[in-house]
Amino acid sequence: MQAFDWDFIVGHMNYWLFIVLMMTGFYIVVAKGNLVKKIVGLNIFQTAVFMLYISIGKVTGGTAPIFPLDMEVDPAVTYSNPLPHVLILTAIVVGVATTSLGLALIVRIREEYGTIEEDELLKIEKEIALQDIRQHSEVIGERG
Amino acid sequence: MATEMVPHTALTLVDQLPAFQILASFLAAPLIVVLGSRRLAWPIAFIASAMSLIVALMLLSQVMDGTVISYRMGGWAPPLGIEYRVDAANAFVLVLVSAISTLILPYARTSFGKEIPLRHHTAFYAAYLLCFSGLLGVTITGDAFNVFVFLEVSSLSTYVLIAMGAERDKRALTAAYDYLIMGTIGATFFVIGIGFLYMATGTLNMADIADRIVEQGGNRTIRAGFAFIVVGIGLKVAMYPLHRWLPNAYTYAPSAVTAFVAATSTKVAVYVLLRFIFSVFQPNFLFEFNTLEYIILPFALIAMFAASFVAIFQSDFKMMLAFSSIAQIGYILLGIAFLTETGVTAAVVHLFNHGITKAALFMAVGAYVFSANGSYYDTIQGLGRRMPLTSAAVVLAGFSLIGVPGTAGFVSKWVLVQAALEKGWWPVALLIVASSLLAVIYVWRVIEVLYLRATPQGCQVREAPASMLVPMWIAVLACIYFGLNTDLTIGAAETAARGLMSGSAGMR
């Protein structure tokens, strides 16, 4: 058993990149305070999954899964698996819908709050919450 | 390529029921947008929802004896084609979702009238129907990738529905945004999990995946898939500690949306979790067994206490109910984590009972928002005399939330305690009772505010209109009916649990 299996590492290049992309995207979603940047991170995160699926579909030595025009399939030819590609088409559509909805929400948030930075939004919401408590806490206050 | 000649067999309308279940509302949604008529939007939505309810009841009556309906979408045979599969477990959930939707629509018409500007009404009903059909689709399909697609259909429209609460409180927008980010991460984790399963088995049909997992036994790919699926669906279920999106989303959404989403969407996610844990993966795998016993069980117990405790200190009725929902999801997950037939029966019964209880309570909150323009405790204090019918509904549904004998909540907690004792885990049984005591405290606080406090001077609040009271009281009476007559709920849940516990064999 080789300690450093070069063939294994290069042979699974797609999967390594999938992990790198996925973690990059995930990190951006968690760490960045700008709402638009979060959506970009989400996009990278989803793109990583597309890469995973398309990698699954690859068959070694396989060619594009397209029928010849005369519909006579040569059994000697290996084709790649087209199913994951089709699934990913669906997932891409879902991703586009998510991105557009997210951006639309950001526009509305900007209109209402005047900012799209998470820390400023939190500050504004904290103030609203404090006001609510001051205004509505008589019920609790009487208790003490 | 020679085309294979398949003899054409005529299907009767009854055979097409599973497709009809989804299509009614799925086609009605674009119809509403195309017609663009504010007057027609509500009747179309209501007819589509009522038709779904009738279809769901017909399906349930067909599968109550334990048979399984397999429907080939577009005539393509599984495992290659997409299969719709109806058994006792999901027919039960289909009935719950479509019944709640049909109940809430008449209520929503009045409630939205005040909470959402008129120009948004047509778009609103379209989004509502898409959410509804997405939830039905997640429940009925037997194809793993199809679950993801329908999950996203329902989630995306839920984000829109929640954001519509911005007219009343702008925090609805940030709540919807947070839910969008977390929900998408959850859904993407779920797809990654399905990708790993496809890698290991080469199929997407759930029954087929189950068979092949049995053949090859557990391996690392399947375990990774299991982990991704549990975390992904856990986010949608609002499994503690993945629940952070829930309180704000429920609190700031329009009242009718909260009532619908709280009663259905987390319940459907729980169903998906059940389906994957018991039918696709085999519960006797050590890895899954350990996950349930050492991760889900403790988190379920923490949720029961932590969320109930937080609920006690809320000063907003709606926020209190949102936290109580997280606690109740803890009970459902606890039932699943027992991994026994009684435990799963308890989970399925509680899923149904908690659905109708929360629908009734959130509808009552909506009535207060409608009449008194708010649900803070100081806004609704003393309204027990001003709004007697709504407040009586809160008391009865609140009893069901606590689990007072004679209500639906008691039945499911009774089965849950039984399941705990059956396993010999009496400390868990004691904890279930103890956390119910916390529920007594937070429900009592509301009752005290409603009945034992003086109405503020010059209070002009009137009882909510009948269009809101009737659906609310139907839900309340259902809480009591299913608390006294347990044959239907426990019978269906036991059939469902038996089907789920028999693993992949239960899928055919």
Side-chain angles (χ1 to χ4, degrees):
Chain A
M1 181 80 191
Q2 231 175 323
F4 190 72
D5 193 344
W6 187 247
D7 281 346
F8 175 81
I9 293 173
V10 175
H12 289 73
M13 190 49 98
N14 287 4
Y15 297 97
W16 299 120
L17 288 177
F18 152 67
I19 294 169
V20 171
L21 264 185
M22 181 178 134
M23 280 341 220
T24 313
F26 201 34
Y27 174 79
I28 296 175
V29 175
V30 176
K32 291 290 171 187
N34 185 299
L35 298 191
V36 178
K37 284 185 185 165
K38 274 178 190 283
I39 295 283
V40 173
L42 207 59
N43 261 313
I44 296 174
F45 183 55
Q46 288 178 318
T47 311
V49 181
F50 305 162
M51 203 163 144
L52 170 73
Y53 267 76
I54 292 168
S55 309
I56 300 172
K58 177 65 182 168
V59 177
T60 314
T63 177
I66 303 169
F67 273 131
L69 271 181
D70 52 6
M71 297 301 272
E72 277 171 23
V73 185
D74 181 5
V77 178
T78 317
Y79 290 104
S80 283
N81 184 358
L83 183 70
H85 302 188
V86 181
L87 297 180
I88 276 328
L89 273 182
T90 316
I92 289 173
V93 174
V94 170
V96 170
T98 313
T99 309
S100 54
L101 181 57
L103 292 176
L105 277 174
I106 293 174
V107 171
R108 289 282 290 122
I109 290 175
R110 172 79 209 271
E111 281 172 8
E112 296 282 341
Y113 288 83
T115 176
I116 54 166
E117 295 295 328
E118 199 176 33
D119 46 350
E120 289 171 34
L121 285 173
L122 282 177
K123 217 184 284 170
I124 297 172
E125 294 207 331
K126 205 173 168 188
E127 259 165 44
I128 303 176
L130 279 175
Q131 255 175 15
D132 278 349
I133 291 172
R134 244 175 266 134
Q135 196 187 336
H136 295 289
S137 61
E138 298 93 285
V139 180
I140 309 168
E142 278 174 27
R143 192 172 282 262
Chain B
M1 200 180 84
T3 349
E4 196 182 327
M5 289 299 289
V6 182
H8 180 77
T9 44
L11 292 169
T12 58
L13 200 58
V14 175
D15 294 330
Q16 305 282 9
L17 279 180
F20 202 62
Q21 177 82 78
I22 314 293
L23 282 179
S25 45
F26 207 75
L27 294 179
L31 185 70
I32 288 176
V33 177
V34 170
L35 287 178
S37 156
R38 202 178 300 144
R39 267 185 311 125
L40 286 177
W42 186 83
I44 293 175
F46 185 74
I47 290 168
S49 174
M51 285 202 299
S52 294
L53 175 60
I54 294 166
V55 172
L57 286 171
M58 285 166 80
L59 285 173
L60 182 66
S61 69
Q62 283 180 30
V63 297
M64 266 300 261
D65 55 353
T67 52
V68 175
I69 301 173
S70 165
Y71 176 81
R72 299 165 175 195
M73 199 33 111
W76 295 87
L80 281 181
I82 290 173
E83 180 192 18
Y84 279 14
R85 180 181 279 280
V86 187
D87 60 12
N90 60 8
F92 196 53
V93 180
L94 288 174
V95 170
L96 172 73
V97 172
S98 46
I100 298 268
S101 164
T102 313
L103 201 59
I104 283 176
L105 271 170
Y107 172 91
R109 194 179 196 189
T110 317
S111 167
F112 293 154
K114 197 159 179 185
E115 290 182 27
I116 295 171
L118 271 180
R119 67 197 152 88
H120 287 158
H121 276 206
T122 39
F124 184 90
Y125 288 114
Y128 179 91
L129 280 185
L130 278 180
C131 178
F132 174 54
S133 57
L135 292 173
L136 292 176
V138 169
T139 314
I140 203 171
T141 187
D143 182 277
F145 198 80
N146 215 222
V147 171
F148 162 70
V149 175
F150 275 120
L151 202 64
E152 282 300 66
V153 168
S154 73
S155 301
L156 283 168
S157 36
T158 310
Y159 310 145
V160 176
L161 293 176
I162 291 171
M164 285 198 181
E167 289 298 324
R168 286 186 54 78
D169 194 322
K170 63 181 177 182
R171 277 172 287 182
L173 292 171
T174 43
Y177 181 85
D178 286 348
Y179 188 17
L180 178 127
I181 295 286
M182 287 192 231
T184 308
I185 290 174
T188 311
F189 266 60
F190 182 67
V191 194
I192 296 172
I194 291 178
F196 279 121
L197 288 187
Y198 184 72
M199 231 189 255
T201 61
T203 175
L204 288 168
N205 184 287
M206 290 198 218
D208 208 27
I209 295 177
D211 285 347
R212 296 191 189 201
I213 291 180
V214 173
E215 275 168 28
Q216 56 183 252
N219 57 43
R220 199 180 288 171
T221 313
I222 289 175
R223 267 179 254 157
F226 175 76
F228 272 110
I229 287 174
V230 168
V231 173
I233 293 298
L235 260 162
K236 297 276 178 188
V237 173
M239 181 195 291
Y240 191 89
L242 305 171
H243 67 280
R244 268 317 305 170
W245 57 267
L246 189 143
N248 280 352
Y250 279 16
T251 307
Y252 302 121
S255 310
V257 172
T258 311
F260 178 65
V261 170
T264 56
S265 91
T266 48
K267 311 295 172 290
V268 167
V270 167
Y271 160 77
V272 175
L273 196 66
L274 275 171
R275 183 54 94 197
F276 271 90
I277 287 181
F278 291 104
S279 299
V280 176
F281 297 97
Q282 304 303 307
N284 43 13
F285 275 154
L286 187 64
F287 181 71
E288 185 175 327
F289 184 78
N290 285 344
T291 309
L292 285 168
E293 185 161 338
Y294 296 116
I295 298 177
I296 296 190
L297 182 90
F299 276 138
L301 288 172
I302 295 174
M304 280 157 49
F305 282 90
S308 301
F309 202 67
V310 176
I312 293 173
F313 294 101
Q314 296 305 314
S315 52
D316 182 355
F317 189 14
K318 212 173 174 187
M319 188 73 111
M320 180 279 267
L321 289 178
F323 277 103
S324 134
S325 274
I326 297 168
Q328 302 287 327
I329 288 162
Y331 291 113
I332 300 175
L333 292 175
L334 191 64
I336 297 174
F338 285 149
L339 273 178
T340 58
E341 207 174 297
T342 324
V344 177
T345 307
V348 176
V349 174
H350 198 56
L351 186 148
F352 181 84
N353 289 343
H354 177 241
I356 49 176
T357 308
K358 267 291 147 63
L361 282 167
F362 274 119
M363 281 197 262
V365 172
Y368 290 124
V369 172
F370 184 88
S371 297
N373 214 12
S375 58
Y376 282 99
Y377 285 162
D378 68 328
T379 320
I380 60 171
Q381 62 177 322
L383 290 188
R385 270 145 293 182
R386 288 258 162 197
M387 299 172 68
L389 288 171
T390 311
S391 305
V394 170
V395 173
L396 289 176
F399 282 170
S400 177
L401 195 62
I402 300 169
V404 174
T407 59
F410 173 72
V411 177
S412 36
K413 279 188 185 167
W414 179 256
V415 184
L416 195 64
V417 170
Q418 255 183 346
L421 293 176
E422 217 172 64
K423 275 212 120 182
W425 291 354
W426 60 266
V428 175
L430 280 182
L431 288 174
I432 296 170
V433 178
S435 76
S436 299
L437 292 178
L438 290 178
V440 174
I441 301 176
Y442 60 67
V443 171
W444 172 250
R445 273 201 70 192
V446 176
I447 295 174
E448 187 198 346
V449 164
L450 284 174
Y451 285 98
L452 301 182
R453 278 178 198 278
T455 320
Q457 293 210 327
C459 177
Q460 292 299 321
V461 174
R462 283 163 195 278
E463 183 60 275
S467 56
M468 298 176 93
L469 288 173
V470 171
M472 188 195 309
W473 271 92
I474 292 176
V476 170
L477 293 177
C479 287
I480 294 169
Y481 176 78
F482 289 117
L484 299 173
N485 181 359
T486 57
D487 293 347
L488 180 64
T489 44
I490 293 202
E494 272 173 351
T495 320
R498 253 197 309 281
L500 286 166
M501 287 305 284
S502 52
S504 67
M507 300 260 325
R508 75 176 62 81

